[in-house]
Structures are given as C-alpha cells and as structure tokens.
C-alpha cells in the first residue's frame, strides 16, 4: 500500500519531499535516490501518469494539486501520458546501483520506461 513508509520524516516534510521527487522524475525522466524513497516515489508517479491518461479538466486539477510545476503537468498530459496509452501500469523502472559511500544506504536509479 503506497504511503505507509515514514522515511524518518515528519508528515509535512515527507509529503513535500515526495511531491518534489515526483515532479523531478516527471520533469527529467530519471532520478537517483535511496531504494525506500524510490518505491514511494514510483507509486505516486504511476498514479499521476494513470491520472493523466484520463485527460479531463478534473484530472488536470488533481495533478496540479500534487505536482509543483505547471510546465511539468503540461508535459505529463501532452507527452508522457499518450506514450503510455496502451500500457496498463508499470511505467517506472528501478535499477539498484549498490550502497552509498557515506552511510551504505541502498541506492537505485528510478526512471520512466
């Protein structure tokens, strides 16, 4: 179930961090982060892409309520969602890259398929 990991953050900090990471993933196509954060970001990013496939005014407003940049929402609805129109989920790929040097946290690359 998405949203059950606390990630060592207060609720408002965690929500803001996830919103920023989902926005960055949809803007750049790939991000590098820890494995647990990536799993949370993946679930929310896939929800946003599924929402964008509907392409109604209501879904655009819902996406704008979560994604922090308007141009990213425009790109999501105009370019990203039509690319996945024939696909039923599984829009993101996790690739493990090994432990981080400083604290040995498991790192991975999260990218759109």
């Amino acid at each position: 179930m998405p949203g059950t990991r606390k990630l060592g953050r207060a609720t408002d900090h965690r929500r803001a961090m996830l919103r920023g990471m989902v926005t960055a993933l949809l803007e750049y196509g790939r991000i590098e982060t820890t494995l647990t954060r990536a799993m949370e970001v993946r679930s929310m990013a896939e929800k946003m892409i599924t929402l964008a496939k509907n392409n109604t005014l209501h879904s655009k407003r819902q996406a704008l309520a979560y994604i922090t940049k308007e141009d990213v929402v425009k790109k999501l609805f105009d370019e990203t969602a039509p690319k996945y129109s024939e696909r039923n989920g599984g829009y993101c790929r996790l690739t493990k890259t090994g432990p981080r040097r400083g604290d040995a946290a498991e790192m991975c690359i999260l990218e759109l398929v």
Side-chain angles (χ1 to χ4, degrees), residues 6 12-13 27 48 62 65 71 87 93 99:
K6 294 190 178 179
D12 53 350
H13 186 183
E27 184 175 9
M48 290 296 121
Q62 285 180 316
D71 57 331
R87 194 178 182 105
R93 175 187 303 135

Side-chain angles (χ1 to χ4, degrees), residues 33-85:
T33 184
T34 62
L35 184 62
T36 52
R37 285 182 188 173
M39 288 190 281
E40 285 295 308
V41 171
R42 176 178 60 180
S43 69
M44 287 310 301
E46 292 194 0
K47 285 179 190 300
M48 290 296 121
I49 293 171
T50 303
L51 189 69
K53 285 169 65 175
N54 196 6
N55 201 7
T56 61
L57 179 61
H58 181 61
S59 61
K60 283 183 183 177
R61 287 181 175 164
Q62 285 180 316
L64 280 166
Y66 193 80
I67 298 171
T68 59
K69 295 181 180 177
E70 287 185 27
D71 57 331
V72 175
V73 174
K74 182 165 176 41
K75 178 182 175 186
L76 174 66
F77 278 82
D78 295 342
E79 299 171 19
T80 309
K83 189 167 67 172
Y84 296 117
S85 63

Side-chain angles (χ1 to χ4, degrees), residues 84-97:
Y84 296 117
S85 63
E86 300 297 320
R87 194 178 182 105
N88 295 325
Y91 314 117
C92 299
R93 175 187 303 135
L94 277 174
T95 308
K96 294 182 181 180
T97 58

